[in-house]
Amino acid sequence: EAGVTQFPSHSVIEKGQTVTLRCDPISGHDNLYWYRRVMGKEIKFLLHFVKESKQDESGMPNNRFLAERTGGTYSTLKVQPAELEDSGVYFCASSRSRVGGRPPYEQYFGPGTRLTVT
Amino acid sequence: QKEVEQNSGPLSVPEGAIASLNCTYSDRGSQSFFWYRQYSGKSPELIMSIYSNGDKEDGRFTAQLNKASQYVSLLIRDSQPSDSATYLCAVNQYTGTASKLTFGTGTRLQVTL
């Protein structure tokens, strides 16, 4: 079974440009998450999809960030326009759907996209 | 106060020894707890999950949870140089269908020969 994949692995863009990151979750995982780690800080939650529906986007920094998950399969995270503080590693994770009152299943992480804004 | 706290280390242990990694969390309503291992430049790799008080063992790893003390730990027995990595403690906070992990900053473990 293939794991979570992300593209690109690295991206270097200039301030003001647009970048789109892509995540393909593990097949059959309805839950998809985006996280970010900026230099020296802990990994922080950005948002959570269940299929194509956003369940929680409380971690999105501002309206320059737009996440989509059309058809409930892969997801994209667009940053437009990029700022210097957007630099960091963007991780995607996925998990199976909850059953009944069970706690959420484990999240499996992709390799991340390292974004550098210059 | 951070939501999830870990000592950043480095924690240095000799090969073959037991490494003990600790984590405290602030949200008393948290129900799911995870340990991830992260090698430099790589993604977090899930190594343990624990949901109820007590110990959970998997190979050389034992996770311990004490909800009353809001404390989670990870023991690594017979530590190997390949265990040298950063260990991330994560707490799952969920309401209804929404779910998210809150991470600590991680503890860097060095296993010396």
Side-chain angles (χ1 to χ4, degrees), chain A residues 35 37 48 55 98 106-107 110, chain B residues 36 38 43 49 96-97 101:
Chain A
Y35 292 87
R37 186 169 202 166
H48 170 208
Q55 296 300 298
R98 290 174 63 192
E106 295 82 356
Q107 295 182 25
Chain B
Y36 287 83
Q38 188 174 27
S43 61
S49 60
T97 55
L101 292 177

Side-chain angles (χ1 to χ4, degrees), chain A residues 105-118:
Chain A
Y105 283 99
E106 295 82 356
Q107 295 182 25
Y108 295 92
F109 280 71
T113 294
R114 181 174 295 278
L115 175 64
T116 302
V117 182
T118 62

